[in-house]
Amino acid sequence: MKIYLTTGVGFGKTTISAFDVALKDAGVYNFNLLTLSSVIPIGSEILFENLPVKDEEWGYKLYVVKADMRSRASGRFIGAALGWYQWKDGRGIFVEHEEEGETEESVRISLEEEVKNSVRDLCEDRGIEFDENKMGSKINITQVKEQPACVLVVAAYKSESWS
């Protein structure tokens, strides 16, 4: 299975419209998102690109693991992150974290630490030896300015029609 990892940033008059712009930026805004917990199926490959989308998929279900942070606190930094760990056969786990802070650096440091600790815990819970060098992560940070903002990181599994 191919899992498409993408990010988005959006600004709007409301946090909901900022979220929609971030979904558009990530290439997944015309889907109904169904959030998954965090398990990566056996044989999966994580690709760092937008999900290929066809016009007829408008309104389809899209299975995702996502982290998103929305805020209207002008001057603050917001961040979203996904971390993951895969075994040799492609199976694995994702973790999702969000953060808000006074500086970009403080948000990044906090997200890096939270992701690493969560991935370590989830590996430990499954009896898997954790090697930090084999862990993946993607962090997305922006500053809230005059209008509400949203950042997100999405792992898109697959789309599916309703019929």
Side-chain angles (χ1 to χ4, degrees):
M1 162 182 255
K2 292 180 180 178
I3 299 173
Y4 297 88
L5 192 79
T6 185
T7 64
V9 175
F11 300 91
K13 292 179 181 159
T14 68
T15 55
I16 291 295
S17 58
F19 176 61
D20 190 58
V21 173
L23 290 171
K24 182 178 183 180
D25 190 38
V28 295
Y29 72 121
N30 286 329
F31 291 97
N32 288 293
L33 303 183
L34 298 174
T35 304
L36 304 173
S37 58
S38 62
V39 178
I40 300 170
I42 293 172
S44 294
E45 176 185 8
I46 297 173
L47 304 172
F48 300 96
E49 57 189 70
N50 284 2
L51 174 76
V53 178
K54 300 176 187 105
D55 285 341
E56 63 269 14
E57 292 178 307
W58 177 279
Y60 275 27
K61 297 176 262 186
L62 181 62
Y63 297 92
V64 301
V65 175
K66 72 173 176 65
D68 75 89
M69 183 70 182
R70 307 169 206 183
S71 178
R72 60 175 45 91
S74 186
R76 305 279 287 177
F77 287 85
I78 57 174
L82 286 183
W84 62 92
Y85 201 88
Q86 287 182 278
W87 321 178
K88 290 180 184 177
D89 64 1
R91 81 179 77 191
I93 49 93
F94 276 112
V95 299
E96 317 86 45
H97 283 281
E98 298 88 15
E99 187 69 45
E100 182 176 328
E102 292 185 21
T103 67
E104 183 174 355
E105 182 180 1
S106 69
V107 169
R108 181 173 310 284
I109 289 169
S110 179
L111 286 171
E112 286 172 350
E113 199 62 26
E114 289 290 312
V115 165
K116 180 175 68 176
N117 289 335
S118 291
V119 169
R120 178 184 290 119
D121 285 350
L122 269 67
C123 285
E124 224 172 75
D125 291 344
R126 288 161 174 79
I128 301 298
E129 187 176 331
F130 175 72
D131 178 351
E132 188 176 340
N133 296 318
K134 294 180 180 178
M135 181 187 84
S137 68
K138 184 67 175 173
I139 296 174
N140 193 10
I141 300 172
T142 196
Q143 186 176 26
V144 182
K145 296 189 179 168
E146 295 84 37
Q147 21 178 220
C150 175
V151 292
L152 57 84
V153 182
V154 176
Y157 282 54
K158 75 171 197 166
S159 66
E160 183 178 83
S161 74
W162 289 94
S163 52

